[in-house]
Amino acid sequence: YIYPVTKRNEPNLGYKLTRLLYKPFLSKIYPNIGVTSEKLANVMVTVGLNGFDKPILENNDIRSY
């Protein structure tokens, strides 16, 4: 799950519920469930400029970068 840090109009009820539950519950119960949009963007730029030792980055790779 990519948690959008910036507020937005969610397209459907599923997204609204996930956003509502992500920070207080889901991210604590399932710490590997997602990554914030800001963290993803920062890692994408850094990896694009410097490369990475794997061709595919998983959530754990992104969070620990």
Side-chain angles (χ1 to χ4, degrees), residues 18-30:
T18 304
R19 181 178 181 84
L20 181 69
L21 298 174
Y22 178 74
K23 281 284 189 182
F25 303 111
L26 295 177
S27 64
K28 300 197 179 28
I29 296 169
Y30 304 105

Side-chain angles (χ1 to χ4, degrees), residues 1 4 13-14 21 23 27 29-30 36 38 42-43 48 50-51 54 58 60 62:
Y1 175 68
L13 182 61
L21 298 174
K23 281 284 189 182
S27 64
I29 296 169
Y30 304 105
T36 66
E38 287 179 351
N42 289 333
V43 172
N50 302 317
K54 297 182 349 184
E58 299 292 338
N60 286 335
I62 294 167

Side-chain angles (χ1 to χ4, degrees), residues 32 35 39-40 43 47 52-65:
N32 297 327
V35 63
K39 180 69 173 178
L40 177 61
V43 172
V47 168
F52 196 71
D53 60 337
K54 297 182 349 184
I56 298 174
L57 280 74
E58 299 292 338
N59 285 344
N60 286 335
D61 299 321
I62 294 167
R63 276 193 302 279
S64 66
Y65 200 84

